[in-house]
Amino acid sequence: MGWFGTLLLARPTTATLASQPGVREAFGSCFATPTPWGNKLGLYDLGQGWQRVGVTPFRTERLRLSAGVEGLAAVTAAPALAAYVSNSACAHLECRTPAGRSFSLHLPDTDEPCGYRHPEGRPGRVDPDVAVEALRGWAVEAGRTPSTDAVAAVVTGREGDLPVMQDAVLMLFAGLGFTSEAEIPPVVNPDDPAFGNYELVVRMADVRAAGEQYMASRGWPLDDDQKATPQDLDYLRFRDLLWSSVYGGGATRDELVAQYRQLAVRWKKH
């Protein structure tokens, strides 16, 4: 199975892009963290204050791709770019700058259907020269020296020419002038054994809470036994605190362990 998620590129005003206000609300909270196979989609320092990170929303979170990028550019007073990748096969790019530059692009840049329902609708085909110039202008406004040939190679690439789409987006970032990067390790491991069965409990809590949100958005009635329980809500609050802390800006590991122990005691008999 391929990767679904957003690769976000911006210059945060906080210590990390993951802790920048508005990022989790617009793009989700499940940031890519180290695995036995590495973490190429994790949090990276790109130099001169720029960072990139891969993130996916939980069921109770809704992707706001264009609004999120626009808000990020306004708050940070720097260009921002987000690429939502669907199953490693295609991507929806949104670019914004404080000067008002706005550009949307689908990769591959073709009229052929991609087979995926993009959350905000799929951008139509853009003339390759126009797309390359728009991306080049974005990079120049970001203070970078882009490679027109490298950007064009991604924009004009077709299925079979490009690697999996998340790698193609990283190629695009490099082509835009972000060629140096260093991984920023997490300060809290979300899979820490000290958090016990947190993930198993919160997984079902997320499903129930998301279902409740969906029913409410349609104005449909919901039986009490279908609603998120007090235990669900407690564990979802813990998840929120945990994921606001993974790359800094939230609670310490010791504080999170103490919070989890309180949860475990509170719901031990349930």
Side-chain angles (χ1 to χ4, degrees):
M1 182 178 177
W3 186 67
F4 289 85
T6 300
L7 278 164
L8 181 63
L9 171 61
R11 190 171 64 188
T13 58
T14 51
T16 69
L17 184 53
S19 62
Q20 175 71 42
V23 165
R24 292 174 59 235
E25 292 82 356
F27 304 102
S29 300
C30 189
F31 298 102
T33 54
T35 70
W37 305 277
N39 189 31
K40 65 181 178 181
L41 302 181
L43 181 63
Y44 280 79
D45 180 353
L46 306 181
Q48 300 179 325
W50 293 89
Q51 295 179 13
R52 68 167 173 87
V53 70
V55 58
T56 57
F58 292 111
R59 289 177 181 267
T60 47
E61 297 175 322
R62 183 169 62 86
L63 178 65
R64 298 174 176 87
L65 193 65
S66 58
V69 178
E70 186 170 348
L72 196 54
V75 168
T76 62
L81 187 160
Y84 175 72
V85 176
S86 295
N87 200 27
S88 299
C90 67
H92 174 172
L93 275 65
E94 290 289 345
C95 310
R96 300 290 187 277
T97 72
R101 186 181 297 273
S102 177
F103 180 65
S104 304
L105 179 68
H106 181 272
L107 294 175
D109 182 26
T110 173
D111 287 326
E112 296 178 6
C114 67
Y116 293 96
R117 290 184 61 191
H118 293 279
E120 298 181 3
R122 173 189 157 170
R125 182 182 180 276
V126 180
D127 180 272
D129 291 339
V130 173
V132 171
E133 178 56 28
L135 289 166
R136 191 197 69 79
W138 181 94
V140 169
E141 194 169 331
R144 295 286 162 153
T145 303
S147 166
T148 301
D149 288 344
V151 172
V154 177
V155 170
T156 61
R158 295 293 180 263
E159 186 176 356
D161 298 332
L162 296 173
V164 293
M165 188 51 67
Q166 60 267 33
D167 288 350
V169 171
L170 296 181
M171 287 172 54
L172 177 62
F173 288 177
L176 293 172
F178 298 91
T179 56
S180 177
E181 59 182 30
E183 186 175 1
I184 301 173
V187 297
V188 173
N189 177 9
D191 299 319
D192 193 320
F195 302 140
N197 67 344
Y198 136 80
E199 188 176 0
L200 292 176
V201 177
V202 84
R203 191 178 302 161
M204 288 308 302
D206 195 37
V207 170
R208 282 190 286 267
E212 186 173 350
Q213 286 180 353
Y214 178 81
M215 297 289 281
S217 70
R218 298 298 189 275
W220 295 342
L222 190 66
D223 294 337
D224 287 343
D225 61 359
Q226 295 176 302
K227 295 180 180 179
T229 67
Q231 180 182 12
D232 289 338
L233 298 178
D234 266 357
Y235 272 87
L236 289 172
R237 280 190 286 268
F238 176 76
R239 182 195 68 183
D240 183 68
L241 179 61
L242 172 60
W243 281 94
S244 69
S245 310
V246 167
Y247 280 111
T252 65
R253 178 185 180 276
D254 288 345
E255 290 169 338
L256 288 163
V257 170
Q259 287 271 352
Y260 174 73
R261 288 174 177 168
Q262 291 176 12
L263 276 184
V265 170
R266 185 178 307 153
W267 299 107
K268 184 176 181 179
K269 296 180 180 179
H270 293 261

